[in-house]
Amino acid sequence: CMNLLQMTDLYTDHVEKLFKEEAYLIAPLQEPYRFLRGEYYLTAQQRDIKERILSDLQKGEGSFFGFTGLPGTGKTLLLYDLAVTLSEKDRVLLLPMRTEPAAVEMLDKRLKRIDFRFADDLPFLDLSLYTAVLIDESHLMTEELITRLMKNSESLRLPMIFSYDLEEAISKKERNAAPVEIIEELSDYRRFHLTNRIRMNAELSSFVNSIVKRSGNHRSYYPSVKLVYANDEREAAVLLDSLISEGYRYLKPPFAHSYTDTSPERVVMVMDQGFYYDEEGYLRAHASEGVYPVRDLFEGLGKARSRLALVIKNNEAVFDVILRTIQNQND
């Protein structure tokens, strides 16, 4: 009893700071050396999904599998880990829809039983050489591509595993929903959902979802979020320079297919007068056909690991909504 009374708290800071996501979530295409050396861990949820898919494949139960989740839930890592396990005995095909060519070439060279190919290669591939096909970021596939893939593989009864984003927080008008609908309408399709967002902490994840879709259900405070207002382009540039000097990385859409650093500690993005909230509470944006500003914003903010900053440029209405979210005020 005396020993218990003498005990004191050993850690008084926020417990989330003890979590080191670098040890769990790596990006195979940005950190191929770490992936090849196996310097990563799967979460309990990732392991469970992997075991269930492998078990069903071994028993011959099911031909199509997929797992979804927000950015940062480890979909790509899980898919690549599955490919490595499946390739221990058989040859498999992996199609990354968003990629870094140099990293793909390295992985393709080192992982002998995994053939990494691009979407443009599909018409020239002999799918009979493989025992499984894995497609990363399947929501980026075109309808033509996924239809061709289904047609070519149907007679082979070739198992397929998809990873993709559902982007539930984003208005349906900004989602690239067509390929997802085709996948989920496949007969004998089994879907799993990754819910543990391990790249981004709970605070930032709550904030991003709260501003993309106003629901009224959000945290009471956001100490890791910075919100500033600019009246024009000149003021926005000054604020950006200041934030960049503080260590924030400015992400400006449209994004390239890859980043040298896929998960910066701090991210800053700009929201201009093109953004607005519709009657259903979705964040929307005026844009030309084929451009999805809200989806780009969602993707960019989702890359931050520790802090976020938003520069609102000449848009008082959106600034007011986001400020109320940060201050935990209702409309």
Side-chain angles (χ1 to χ4, degrees), residues 72-92:
T73 51
K75 299 182 299 298
T76 295
L77 180 59
L78 175 56
L79 189 80
Y80 278 55
D81 183 76
L82 268 166
V84 170
T85 301
L86 290 170
S87 68
E88 290 175 358
K89 297 180 180 179
D90 300 298
R91 190 174 175 187
V92 300

Side-chain angles (χ1 to χ4, degrees), residues 108-122:
D108 187 51
K109 183 177 181 180
R110 295 281 296 276
L111 299 170
K112 299 297 185 182
R113 290 196 181 95
I114 304 178
D115 286 351
F116 291 81
R117 296 293 182 264
F118 301 105
D120 292 342
D121 298 325
L122 187 58

Side-chain angles (χ1 to χ4, degrees), residues 21 44 49 77 90 101 105 119 133 160 201 209 227 235 255 260 270:
E21 67 282 337
I49 293 173
L77 180 59
D90 300 298
E105 184 179 351
V133 177
M160 293 191 178
N201 64 44
N209 283 281
L227 180 69
E235 289 185 7
F255 296 131
T260 305
V270 175

Side-chain angles (χ1 to χ4, degrees), residues 18-68:
L18 294 174
F19 178 71
K20 301 297 182 183
E21 67 282 337
E22 299 90 340
Y24 292 88
L25 182 64
I26 69 169
L29 292 178
Q30 279 71 38
E31 302 170 279
Y33 288 110
R34 289 188 62 195
F35 178 76
L36 289 168
R37 291 195 295 262
E39 295 179 0
Y40 63 89
Y41 302 93
L42 296 182
T43 65
Q45 188 181 41
Q46 288 172 313
R47 291 197 304 272
D48 178 63
I49 293 173
K50 176 183 177 181
E51 290 169 3
R52 291 168 68 181
I53 291 176
L54 292 176
S55 175
D56 285 350
L57 286 173
Q58 186 176 18
K59 291 183 285 188
E61 298 178 358
S63 299
F64 303 106
F65 305 87
F67 38 87
T68 69

Side-chain angles (χ1 to χ4, degrees), residues 221-233:
Y221 64 98
Y222 295 100
S224 301
V225 177
K226 182 175 291 189
L227 180 69
V228 294
Y229 189 83
N231 288 295
D232 51 37
E233 191 72 36

